[in-house]
Amino acid sequence: GQNIDQPTEMTATEGAIVQINCTYQTSGFNGLFWYQQHAGEAPTFLSYNVLDGLEEKGRFSSFLSRSKGYSYLLLKELQMKDSASYLCAVRDHPLDSNYQLIWGAGTKLIIKP
Amino acid sequence: DGGITQSPKYLFRKEGQNVTLSCEQNLNHDAMYWYRQDPGQGLRLIYYSQIVNDFQKGDIAEGYSVSREKKESFPLTVTSAQKNPTAFYLCASTDSLDSYSNQPQHFGDGTRLSIL
């Protein structure tokens, strides 16, 4: 079956670093996306990985290991506004899914002063 | 400013009533999607459309219907057959139909539907 696992909730301190993990089991793999979603709002795109390795974008970095079915989102210099849910989504093989994304349930990140 | 507009922001449905959620985009995107989001669950795909006058069922299409008469518009009707419609509904669009593209889906601000 298709499955994406993320921790339900994490807590971190302002100014610190936090790593949010995502593991996936899908019939195929054609890219992994990370989104940020504040409560009651639309998800906004953060990063995309399709090859193994680290993609850095300012305070946010995302890592992918296709052989392990594993990704993480790294947030540095945490700010209060980073309190949100972080969604991991995998694009399955296009022949099977017609560009559909499979979504994890999201990780709620709580930042404390 | 380009974007996706969903309306209304909040919607209440009575028993036996059909309701329609609006989704309009001015991004000139070909593909549009409807998702349902429930607490503690990932986004679940209801319907998607890759081109005008064509659409496909997603994982949870029962009790829903859509149309795609114009590129900019992809309304979702929640019918009385959907017995548990209370959820947050998100509309999304994406530019490229290329399965190898890194283009993300862009989302509207969502419609929260509740039963009266």
Side-chain angles (χ1 to χ4, degrees):
Chain A
Q2 318 269 52
N3 194 46
I4 296 183
D5 289 314
Q6 302 179 237
T8 302
E9 187 174 297
M10 299 181 70
T11 303
T13 305
E14 190 178 15
I17 299 173
V18 71
Q19 177 175 311
I20 302 174
N21 295 327
C22 171
T23 57
Y24 61 89
Q25 299 91 39
T26 55
S27 57
F29 179 83
N30 198 20
L32 184 145
F33 295 84
W34 282 98
Y35 283 80
Q36 180 191 61
Q37 185 180 25
H38 287 98
E41 298 182 10
T44 54
F45 170 70
L46 290 177
S47 69
Y48 171 78
N49 295 71
V50 67
L51 300 176
D52 291 348
L54 188 68
E55 294 281 342
E56 296 188 77
K57 196 184 287 187
R59 292 190 300 116
F60 293 5
S61 303
S62 57
F63 171 83
L64 175 68
S65 169
R66 288 172 296 170
S67 62
K68 295 182 179 178
Y70 167 68
S71 174
Y72 67 72
L73 181 69
L74 192 71
L75 290 74
K76 303 176 186 176
E77 300 168 17
L78 286 169
Q79 302 175 9
M80 297 304 293
K81 67 178 182 179
D82 297 330
S83 290
S85 288
Y86 291 85
L87 312 180
C88 173
V90 172
R91 184 161 57 202
D92 203 346
H93 193 283
L95 292 180
D96 295 334
S97 63
N98 286 318
Y99 325 114
Q100 291 181 37
L101 295 180
I102 303 164
W103 293 83
T107 298
K108 183 178 181 181
L109 178 63
I110 300 168
I111 309 297
K112 295 186 175 179
Chain B
D1 267 62
I4 301 177
T5 301
Q6 288 188 242
S7 62
K9 193 169 178 66
Y10 299 96
L11 187 59
F12 298 92
R13 196 191 86 169
K14 295 179 182 178
E15 287 287 335
Q17 186 182 40
N18 293 353
V19 292
T20 297
L21 285 59
S22 171
C23 177
E24 304 278 331
Q25 54 101 356
N26 60 4
L27 300 167
N28 200 34
H29 284 176
D30 289 304
M32 297 186 74
Y33 308 81
W34 273 107
Y35 291 98
R36 171 179 171 141
Q37 188 174 35
D38 294 281
Q41 295 189 39
L43 301 184
R44 291 185 291 167
L45 184 65
I46 305 172
Y47 270 98
Y48 65 101
S49 168
Q50 296 174 342
I51 199 167
V52 174
N53 291 324
D54 186 51
F55 48 82
Q56 306 294 329
K57 291 182 179 180
D59 300 320
I60 55 164
E62 186 174 348
Y64 300 97
S65 66
V66 293
S67 62
R68 186 87 187 275
E69 297 176 2
K70 299 186 297 183
K71 187 175 183 177
E72 314 82 65
S73 179
F74 192 40
L76 174 74
T77 296
V78 184
T79 74
S80 56
Q82 172 49 246
K83 298 306 179 188
N84 184 24
T86 297
F88 190 47
Y89 289 86
L90 287 162
C91 179
S93 70
T94 189
D95 182 24
S96 175
L97 299 178
D98 182 352
S99 60
Y100 297 95
S101 168
N102 64 354
Q103 293 301 308
Q105 293 184 7
H106 298 263
F107 287 84
D109 287 336
T111 293
R112 192 164 295 280
L113 176 62
S114 303
I115 297 180
L116 278 178

